[in-house]
Amino acid sequence: MTTDAVESIAAAEWDSLVRPGDLFQSHAWLRHLDDVIAPHSAVVVRRAGHLVAAMPVWEGDRSDPGLFNLPAFFPDMPELGRASFLWAGARRSVRNGLLCEMGPQRPAALSELLSGALACAHDAGHDGVIVPYLPVNAAVELAAAHRNAHCLVHSADATVYMSPNHAAEPNWYASGHNRKRRRRELRDFVATGHTLEWTDLTPAVAAEVAPLIANTRGKYGSSGGAAWINRIFEAQRKFGLDEFATVLLCRRNGALVSVAVCYRHADSLHGRYYGADESAGRIGSSYFVTTCHAPVGYAAQHGLRRVYLSTSSLEAKVRRGAMVEPLAAVVLLARGRLYSGSVCAHNRKLASEYLDRFSDYSYLLSPAWLDFLI
């Protein structure tokens, strides 16, 4: 086990561990964040000179209470809210994954990976290491690799799964009422004069969409404006991420009113950046068509299996056929371990809250939520 900079590891070697759909763990995604924000370090495990596991790590950011703030994650566990952690996974990513070989030696490699991350945290003066925003199955697997690690649910994301035969009606999990809503919104969209165009993330397109994306991000507290968004897209082109990007432009009477920037990775489509011109209003459901219906239709047309719609505005996405799936963090303390009763109580409480919150859409709740009620 060693600790290296991500940039020092060959892209092909790193990406050999990336699972289909885990775009935000890819070498190019991490490197563009290195370029725009700050470099990632990485705990890496090698066997006979070959990379078998890796984990990007970065210093925590407490500036955003909704995404990377420990008291917001665990309001009923104040000891974690006060702690200082080394964060693992892609910087400010709301969907992480496990970079590890498959096969019988995988548990040992994951164990070595967590031990290495904990040592790195200790050397930096932190109280432990946290790996947030993991799909719950990955979090359970990673937590099982170390006797002092815990799996703690902290949020959820929205995913649309495509029909096995990629039928024309892509929201196959949606109820009849929700399918009618989709068709009504699409009719209203056309009737109010909106048009859609899928295009590449060229410099000209990036410059056109950046103000709308900055406007929407600004509503939720993000700063930097259009210049920051353009800087992100420039870094993505530098590291080849524009090859994975596809941009949806929605216009009405020739004016750009909403945009979505999505990224393909293997059989998945990730919705990542959204924007709207608030002065244009919301007539014709333009924002919902751009951010939800059209990406799902794109996935159906291109034979993709799922669309990740991220963690925000879950109610709106569920009403349009997305499933709510738990995201969890793996927490490992430098000294001792958490009280298992507190961990179980936290997970049970959060799962109950989500089950209550979406009780009218129980068929769109992942069965994994029920595992935390046992």
Side-chain angles (χ1 to χ4, degrees):
M1 184 277 296
T2 60
T3 304
D4 302 312
V6 169
E7 66 176 331
S8 69
I9 303 169
E13 186 178 34
W14 182 279
D15 288 340
S16 69
L17 300 175
V18 177
R19 303 294 296 165
D22 282 346
L23 168 70
F24 305 131
Q25 307 305 297
S26 69
H27 195 270
W29 191 269
L30 294 167
R31 290 290 292 118
H32 105 274
L33 294 175
D34 289 351
D35 196 65
V36 173
I37 307 175
H40 291 84
S41 297
V43 178
V44 298
V45 179
R46 296 183 181 275
R47 184 185 305 113
H50 297 287
L51 187 69
V52 297
M55 180 179 286
V57 294
W58 55 288
E59 294 296 323
D61 180 358
R62 293 172 174 264
S63 64
D64 191 335
L67 293 175
F68 296 91
N69 183 275
L70 291 168
F73 271 10
F74 311 117
D76 48 352
M77 302 182 74
E79 67 274 26
L80 293 182
R82 294 189 298 265
S84 169
F85 283 95
L86 180 71
W87 292 68
R91 185 183 296 275
R92 298 189 63 77
S93 170
V94 293
R95 188 173 186 89
N96 287 309
L98 301 183
L99 294 162
C100 188
E101 65 178 348
M102 303 302 291
Q105 298 192 73
R106 179 176 168 92
L110 288 174
S111 178
E112 189 73 13
L113 197 61
L114 274 181
S115 296
L118 188 60
C120 185
H122 180 269
D123 291 345
H126 294 293
D127 298 314
V129 60
I130 182 170
V131 193
Y133 292 106
L134 287 167
V136 69
N137 290 341
V140 169
E141 180 186 15
L142 183 60
H146 195 290
R147 62 188 181 90
N148 289 335
H150 302 272
C151 171
L152 290 148
V153 185
H154 62 80
S155 56
D157 64 1
T159 306
V160 176
Y161 290 92
M162 312 310 296
S163 170
N165 60 359
H166 301 288
E169 184 70 71
N171 298 57
W172 69 304
Y173 272 119
S175 67
H177 174 74
N178 284 349
R179 286 195 292 270
K180 289 179 181 178
R181 180 201 300 273
R182 173 181 179 270
R183 289 192 286 267
R184 182 181 69 250
E185 288 180 342
L186 290 173
R187 286 195 304 270
D188 292 344
F189 180 84
V190 174
T192 48
H194 291 89
T195 61
L196 293 175
E197 175 191 359
W198 287 99
T199 187
D200 296 331
L201 186 59
T202 64
V205 168
E208 186 177 16
V209 302
L212 271 66
I213 295 171
N215 176 63
T216 297
R217 287 167 60 88
K219 288 174 55 181
Y220 300 99
S222 296
S223 59
W228 171 253
I229 302 300
N230 274 311
R231 186 179 171 194
I232 289 173
F233 291 149
E234 288 171 7
Q236 291 187 2
R237 289 192 295 273
K238 178 179 177 180
F239 293 101
L241 286 167
D242 54 329
E243 296 180 9
F244 299 90
T246 183
V247 183
L248 180 59
L249 307 176
C250 172
R251 302 183 191 276
R252 185 170 71 244
N253 299 325
L256 189 65
V257 296
S258 57
V259 301
V261 182
C262 304
Y263 299 82
R264 292 181 60 167
H265 191 264
D267 57 0
S268 302
L269 184 71
H270 294 266
R272 183 64 181 87
Y273 299 104
Y274 306 109
D277 178 2
E278 296 297 330
S279 67
R282 295 293 180 95
I283 65 169
S285 304
S286 60
Y287 192 71
F288 293 130
V289 171
T290 304
T291 61
C292 187
H293 298 318
V296 170
Y298 177 97
Q301 182 180 356
H302 290 83
L304 304 179
R305 290 182 55 197
R306 54 192 166 235
V307 182
Y308 295 118
L309 295 175
S310 196
T311 59
S312 63
S313 305
L314 290 179
E315 281 82 1
K317 294 168 183 175
V318 167
R319 288 195 295 269
R320 290 158 181 87
M323 292 196 71
V324 180
E325 300 181 318
L327 294 172
V330 171
V331 173
L332 182 56
L333 298 177
R335 294 180 179 84
R337 66 194 313 271
L338 296 172
Y339 174 53
S340 59
S342 297
V343 172
C344 291
H346 165 83
N347 288 339
R348 187 181 305 112
K349 178 183 176 183
L350 197 64
S352 297
E353 289 175 355
Y354 272 91
L355 289 169
D356 290 343
R357 178 178 170 185
F358 295 101
S359 59
D360 291 341
Y361 299 93
S362 58
Y363 56 93
L364 288 171
L365 286 166
S366 165
W369 292 107
L370 299 176
D371 295 340
F372 295 105
L373 301 182
I374 299 174

